[in-house]
Amino acid sequence: MEDERIAYNAAIEALRLREYPMLQDTTYLDHAGTTLYAKSLIERFSADMIGNLYGNPHSASNSSQLTTRRIEDVRLRLLALFKADPDDFDVVFVANATAGIKLVTEVFRDQEEGYWYGYHRDAHTSLIGARETATQHRCFTTDAEVNAWVEEDGTASPRLGLFAYPAQSNMNGRRLPLDWTRHIRTRKQGSVYTLLDAAALVSTSPLDLSDANSAPDFTVMSLYKIFGFPDLGALIIRKAAGSVFDRRRYFGGGTVEMVVCLKEQWHAKKETLHERLEDGTLPIHSIMALDTAMSVHKELYNSLDEVSNHTAFLASKLYDGLTSLRHGNGTSVCHVYKDASSTYGDPSTQGPIVAFNLRNHCSGWVSNAEVEKLAAVRNLQLRTGGLCNPGGVASSLDLAPWEMKENFSAGQRCGNDNDIIRAKPTGMIRVSLGAMSTLKDVTLFVDFLSEFFVEDTPPLLVPPVVSLDMKPPTHSRLHVESLSVYPIKSCGAFGVPPGVAWGVRREGLAWDREWCLVHQGTGAALSQKRYPKMALIRPSIDLEAGVLRVQLTGLLRYSTFANEVTVPLSADPSLFAKDSMYKDGSAQVCGDQIQAKTYRSPQISAFFSQALGVACHLARFPAVGNGSGPLACVRHSKPHLQKSQRSSKMRVPGAFPETRPLMPGMTVSKPILLSNESPILTISRSSLNRLNEQIKAEGGKAAQSEVFRANIVVAENPHYPPGAEQPYAEDEWRYLQIGQQYFELLGPCRRCQMICVDQQTAERNQEPFVTLSKTRRFDGRVYFGEHTSHLARDSPYPLAQEAAIMVGDTVRTYFEDEACYDDVLHALIS
Ligand SMILES: *Cc1c(COP(=O)(O)O)cnc(C)c1O
């Protein structure tokens, strides 16, 4: 048995090299999202399109007849794939499974008395949404509830009923009983119809509709989940149930024989179900591609049974691999959400999907946003979050409705970083396999988890040591190595020239992230995470000429006619478009939406759009408002003022107790309300050196300081004795004095894979994120650098000289203890 499977796996390995070139150098584990198409399929489809002339069906020309004939053949072929007799079944082509569900539930909605809708907890959102069209609805939270309801005799409700469920959960791959459809038909005496969502099931499993009496009335599926291509769905209707569609009100395109619309309103519907339900022109080319897809699938895999056996085998290996991972102290790493009724390796109860969350060695949950970032760096494609399966996820994670609503109010959304709330995960990780998955994918994934998430205890992280005897002379051992600003958010850095005193303001270094680029369609700010080439856009601040000068480097050099654009530093209102485009929900402060103003010049937009290959505008943030009084809400305009990770007691690096009010009547520039916003990012050269030693020890490529996009790089004085560097000493710093200015450290900066974008070439690397995540991960989060904010004396003279710092300034550090704190206080008051 096992030998046979291993031989089959070897055959798939060989086939994959040939047929799936897009899988080179990547590990694709999201087949439940969509599987991949074979090279032969695309080549053959393309040859078919080039070699034949296909017209719009419904006419007498040869090209039209050819299309009609081919489509009728494909219908039969698709029915045959599921052993559905064309005497008993018809197939309706739809855009996707959801469109099939809509078509069915809309005709139920159109019944005069309305309808009763029942659905299973494991349903995909596509099925759940239908309840909004029903007169009455019920969510069945267990299989037992369904069984009990089925056993109830007769037609309790005067209304027509529809019971819908997934043949396989798209969340954890559990396969639900297929015989419910038969039981419901017999027990409910035809008053309740059945809708089977087979989208997840048939992607890796056969479905047998040969017994029309026990088959679902309506079966929907997404064909791209079986073949990778075309983007097409199907609704298979049991003809005996077809009469419900007599009530369908809409008609359009080729669905009618004759329409009278001038003096009388009358139409005659077409005869067959599919003719009546396929509104408008069919996706003819997709349907032909389906023909080719079925041929190629058969040649490569022979049958869905073979796919089912192979993927079941892989899934059991994956499940065993995940459940056997243990931390050094013996606690398990993966918490798998498996239904008690299912068994990995048994295709009748379980499909090839594993849903799980990770725990650290203290059994705390690991943030999935962190897992995603590492997976992205390692080129692993998987899915995290709510997985479009709210019932399954809520019951697995034991989330009550009030918790979900509160989490929603607290800002949790499908796909954001905020995924552990009140020490509970709000989503999960899903790994799913398909026909062309192999044992190698499974091993690679298990190894990935063991590399990054299995912790030897005590944790691999050594808390930074600051030896006490070093303390007194340390105060002047540091200096400012460099100062950088990023005039356009996410674009290249502008290095402050040595000898220039650079302004420090409430909202950060002068001109830092004063501008951004916004997408013309969505109005969202662009970032390097999605557009790494932004690193090659180099803004500089020319104070003498009074302009922001933007140049292009590297690859972008010849991407546009102009080599450079300039924008005045003055915010002349006539430069801006009337309606500002950019709205950033995450930049909400005190309930206010913050908006940036877009430049109206088409030349400027064209310059950036051509450089990046994405339609965008340049935009500028409005000037910062003035706070009045110590607790006034100051409208910080810039979205980079991020929340830092500050919480008292927790000894993650740099996590300090809450700010204490300094003295009665005294205010700092940073009001308490906004105290955890970070206008400046500081990194330490010694820490970077340590990190690079670790990277090089593993044979990796050292990281440039630019990737961290710091504003201030603090370094040890060169004449200080060598070997006395103190990497990560910043974890213990509380305040900094730079030149004549004071700064407070707010907490460590959480990192993502954006630090892997080489700022010279815009290429993505694995480092430094991989090493950082092994050496600087606390509580599932990866930290490097410190959020910093300027502490200003409140000057009664508005024209007082602006606070400034320069490259080469001496840096003094203050640790978290009373004496030092009083020093700062003293300095600020005096
Ligand atoms: C993918 C999926 C759907 C949705 O399919 P679409 O093609 O996006 O409409 C619905 N139900 C299940 C079980 C699925 O896996």
Side-chain angles (χ1 to χ4, degrees), residues 108-182:
F108 278 83
R109 178 198 63 190
D110 286 354
Q111 307 293 318
E112 253 151 46
E113 328 72 43
Y115 78 109
W116 172 92
Y117 182 62
Y119 61 98
H120 191 279
R121 175 195 82 192
D122 284 349
H124 189 272
T125 45
S126 302
L127 281 185
I128 299 175
R131 72 179 179 207
E132 307 296 322
T133 70
T135 330
Q136 274 182 296
H137 52 84
R138 171 173 177 190
C139 173
F140 291 84
T141 57
T142 60
D143 290 9
E145 264 185 45
V146 177
N147 290 328
W149 166 75
V150 172
E151 286 311 312
E152 290 167 17
D153 267 328
T155 58
S157 162
R159 295 196 178 89
L160 218 50
L162 178 66
F163 177 77
Y165 72 105
Q168 172 181 310
S169 158
N170 68 309
M171 180 197 87
N172 64 0
R174 167 167 105 94
R175 290 184 174 165
L176 284 81
L178 290 175
D179 59 2
W180 278 342
T181 54
R182 178 165 56 86

Side-chain angles (χ1 to χ4, degrees), residues 656-724:
F656 297 110
E658 290 302 309
T659 309
R660 285 166 292 181
L662 289 175
M663 286 208 87
M666 183 181 170
T667 61
V668 287
S669 69
K670 186 177 50 65
I672 310 294
L673 267 184
L674 298 176
S675 63
N676 55 357
E677 284 184 344
S678 161
I680 297 171
L681 190 70
T682 305
I683 66 168
S684 140
R685 168 61 63 187
S686 310
S687 306
L688 179 59
N689 289 345
R690 165 63 58 86
L691 173 65
N692 278 332
E693 282 159 24
Q694 290 161 331
I695 292 175
K696 283 188 267 179
E698 295 292 319
K701 180 168 160 251
Q704 303 281 311
S705 66
E706 289 81 6
V707 299
F708 295 102
R709 304 182 63 76
N711 298 110
I712 303 176
V713 180
V714 168
E716 245 113 348
N717 282 326
H719 18 263
Y720 220 73

Side-chain angles (χ1 to χ4, degrees), residues 84-90 209-213 237-241:
D85 187 332
D87 284 343
D88 297 320
F89 294 93
D90 198 352
L209 300 177
S210 57
D211 178 7
N213 287 327
I237 302 174
R238 193 173 151 264
K239 284 185 175 170

Side-chain angles (χ1 to χ4, degrees), residues 32-33 95-99 101 122 124-127 166-170 197-201 221-222 224-225 232 430:
N96 46 39
T98 307
I101 293 165
D122 284 349
H124 189 272
T125 45
S126 302
L127 281 185
Q168 172 181 310
S169 158
N170 68 309
D197 174 1
L201 177 76
M221 59 188 69
S222 311
Y224 66 91
K225 284 191 187 169
L232 191 65
R430 181 182 76 183

